[in-house]
Amino acid sequence: SIRESFGHMTENKGLILEVAVHEDVPSEIRSDQKRIEQILKNLISNAIKFTDSGSVTVSFARPSEGTNLLTSGLTADKCLAIVVRDTGIGIASENQKIIFEAFQQVDGGTARKYGGTGLGLSISRELARLLGGEIQIESQPGSGSAFTLYLPVEAPADRGNSSKATHTVFRADERI
């Protein structure tokens, strides 16, 4: 469904869209499908928006051993890593924290050129937290960005989920 939802956007910009599901992904995760879809929509839309040439890659895998997951308290063996990587403009290290704050973008020139409210990453970070996960960034100006969403295989029931009915089982062999 990622290709169906975003393929036309990448085609219009002349970008390559790749989706990879690694063999080591959990066979299923239990979480809130709508919240995960909203986070991915924000991350992929941003990747496309801030990439003028090259590619956007979305990959599903287990985090590598030694991944720092202190913010969420997750362990690599009990979570899924979804990486949205682009070959776009990139973000300087000194600006990587502020982009997650509401209504913030790197600078006024970025806001004028690319538009947007500056809410997507702030909302995505909060949704990831509610699901028991976290979002991390790796980026350098001119070299693109990689936003990684780490999610527990089993979302905690006490993280702001008002209805147990919102929990859906995802399976690695189903369309994501």
Side-chain angles (χ1 to χ4, degrees):
S1 67
I2 289 172
R3 286 185 189 96
E4 290 173 10
S5 297
F6 297 98
H8 66 284
M9 293 171 66
T10 54
E11 276 183 32
N12 289 344
K13 288 189 77 173
L15 302 174
I16 297 167
L17 176 62
E18 298 178 43
V19 179
V21 180
H22 296 255
E23 291 180 14
D24 65 347
V25 297
S27 59
E28 65 181 40
I29 67 168
R30 181 171 295 278
S31 195
D32 185 323
Q33 180 176 355
K34 291 194 182 309
R35 288 180 176 171
I36 293 172
E37 287 173 350
Q38 184 174 359
I39 294 168
L40 291 177
K41 179 182 177 198
N42 287 337
L43 295 178
I44 297 168
S45 295
N46 278 352
I48 295 168
K49 180 178 7 177
F50 293 104
T51 303
D52 291 327
S53 64
S55 64
V56 173
T57 303
V58 182
S59 61
F60 297 79
R62 289 277 191 180
S64 57
E65 287 299 321
T67 300
N68 180 346
L69 298 168
L70 294 176
T71 301
S72 62
L74 293 171
T75 59
D77 64 325
K78 294 188 177 166
C79 77
L80 172 68
I82 305 171
V83 182
V84 178
R85 183 177 307 278
D86 65 59
T87 57
I89 63 173
I91 303 160
S93 59
E94 63 269 15
N95 294 321
Q96 291 177 12
K97 287 189 179 171
I98 66 165
I99 62 169
F100 286 98
E101 301 301 323
F103 305 109
Q104 295 297 313
Q105 293 185 342
V106 172
D107 60 38
T110 302
R112 281 189 301 277
K113 181 175 180 182
Y114 295 101
T117 61
L119 285 172
L121 289 175
S122 177
I123 291 168
S124 294
R125 181 180 64 181
E126 182 61 18
L127 290 175
R129 186 191 67 74
L130 288 171
L131 295 171
E134 64 183 87
I135 297 176
Q136 295 182 10
I137 179 176
E138 294 178 29
S139 186
Q140 291 184 349
S143 297
S145 302
F147 287 84
T148 305
L149 169 63
Y150 295 99
L151 293 171
V153 172
E154 181 81 28
D158 63 344
R159 291 281 185 123
N161 297 310
S162 59
S163 168
K164 291 182 182 171
T166 62
H167 287 267
T168 305
V169 174
F170 288 88
R171 298 189 191 284
D173 58 346
E174 291 180 358
R175 293 164 32 127
I176 299 175

